[in-house]
């Protein structure tokens, strides 16, 4: 079974620039998550999709972050404009559905904002 | 109060030691509980689910106390390869089961 694919693995940008991250979940997984993990902290949920609908985006800074999951498969997370405090690893995860399901994570996209 | 709290660590223990991590959660409606392991600069991976009756997987034992809203992880006979950050994970109890991670506890097993 192929895992969760993410790209790019690393990105360095200057503040006020924009960046986009892509995630392709495990085939058949209905639920897709984007987490932000700042160094030394646990992952923080930014947005959760069930198929192509958003079920939770309460911690997504909507003035600068956006995410979509077209056709209920792969997903894109965008930051525009980036701030220094956005430097973090952006982790995508997927699961069969919500409930007592195991999350499988991608390797993450490491963002550095200068 | 944060939704999931863990011992701040770090824990530095010698090989062969027994170490226990504690986690508390704030939402009494939570139904699913897990421990994930995260190696340095890697993604989190499931270590074990936590069941109401407690469960064991080799050297690892997880316990759940719903009344106290408390979860624990016990590692016996620590190995160098156990060095990692251990993340307590709880679902929110909402209809869509938001999955909430604790801040993690760092473990270093020393030769």
């Amino acid at each position: 079974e192929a895992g969760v694919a993410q790209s790019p693995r690393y990105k360095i940008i200057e503040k006020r620039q924009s960046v986009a991250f892509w995630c392709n979940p495990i085939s058949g997984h209905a639920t897709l998550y984007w987490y932000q993990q700042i160094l030394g902290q646990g992952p923080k949920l930014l947005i959760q999709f069930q198929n192509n609908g958003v079920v939770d985006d309460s911690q997504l800074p909507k003035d600068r972050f956006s995410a979509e999951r077209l056709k209920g498969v792969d997903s894109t997370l965008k930051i525009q404009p980036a701030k220094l405090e956005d430097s973090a690893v952006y982790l995508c995860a997927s699961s069969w559905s919500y409930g007592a399901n195991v999350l499988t994570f991608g390797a993450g996209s490491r963002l550095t904002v200068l | 109060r944060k939704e999931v709290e863990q011992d701040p660590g770090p824990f530095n223990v010698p090989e062969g030691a027994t170490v226990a991590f504690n986690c508390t959660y704030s939402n009494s409606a939570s139904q699913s509980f897990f421990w994930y392991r995260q190696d340095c600069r890697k993604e989190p991976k499931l270590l074990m689910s936590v069941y109401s009756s407690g469960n064991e997987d080799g050297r690892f034992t997880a316990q759940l106390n719903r009344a106290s809203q408390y979860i624990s992880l016990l590692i016996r006979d620590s190995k160098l390869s156990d060095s990692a950050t251990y993340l307590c994970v709880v679902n929110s109890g909402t209809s869509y089961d938001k999955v909430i991670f604790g801040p993690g506890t760092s473990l270093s097993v020393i030769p």
Side-chain angles (χ1 to χ4, degrees), chain B residues 4-80:
Chain B
V4 181
E5 298 190 76
Q6 295 186 240
D7 290 334
F11 283 62
N12 299 310
V13 303
E15 273 187 289
T18 296
V19 60
F21 302 135
N22 300 316
C23 170
T24 58
Y25 60 95
S26 62
N27 188 345
S28 59
S30 296
Q31 294 293 322
S32 303
F33 311 91
F34 308 89
W35 284 100
Y36 278 68
R37 171 192 168 127
Q38 186 171 26
D39 292 309
C40 187
R41 302 179 74 87
K42 297 287 190 181
E43 71 273 21
K45 293 184 179 179
L46 179 72
L47 177 66
M48 58 196 304
S49 301
V50 185
Y51 303 123
S52 296
S53 55
N55 48 299
E56 189 173 305
D57 183 1
R59 297 180 294 107
F60 298 83
T61 300
Q63 296 283 348
L64 169 64
N65 183 323
R66 287 188 186 274
S68 301
Q69 294 179 208
Y70 167 93
I71 306 160
S72 66
L73 176 69
L74 184 77
I75 306 175
R76 291 181 300 278
D77 189 22
S78 298
K79 310 290 185 191
L80 296 177

Side-chain angles (χ1 to χ4, degrees), chain A residues 35 37 48 56 98-99 103 106, chain B residues 36 38 43 95-97 99:
Chain A
Y35 285 86
Q37 187 171 28
Q48 178 177 340
D56 190 301
Y98 50 78
L103 272 62
Chain B
Y36 278 68
Q38 186 171 26
E43 71 273 21
S95 59
Y96 58 88
D97 275 332
V99 180

Side-chain angles (χ1 to χ4, degrees), chain A residues 29-97:
Chain A
H29 279 194
T31 309
L32 185 147
Y33 313 77
W34 282 103
Y35 285 86
Q36 178 193 60
Q37 187 171 28
I38 293 171
L39 187 65
Q41 299 180 19
K44 182 181 86 171
L45 181 68
L46 293 176
I47 189 165
Q48 178 177 340
F49 293 93
Q50 181 68 15
N51 296 310
N52 60 348
V54 176
V55 293
D56 190 301
D57 62 358
S58 57
Q59 297 192 92
L60 187 74
K62 298 179 187 64
D63 58 334
R64 298 184 301 105
F65 285 63
S66 64
E68 59 183 11
R69 189 183 184 195
L70 299 176
K71 301 180 182 178
V73 183
D74 56 351
S75 176
T76 302
L77 176 71
K78 296 180 181 177
I79 308 174
Q80 183 179 14
K83 292 185 175 181
L84 297 178
E85 60 260 37
D86 298 333
S87 294
V89 177
Y90 291 85
L91 293 162
C92 179
S94 68
S95 66
W96 283 109
S97 185

Side-chain angles (χ1 to χ4, degrees), chain A residues 5-17:
Chain A
Q6 287 190 248
S7 67
R9 288 294 312 280
Y10 304 93
K11 189 75 177 179
I12 300 173
I13 61 173
E14 305 224 334
K15 60 184 179 183
R16 292 188 288 275
Q17 288 187 322

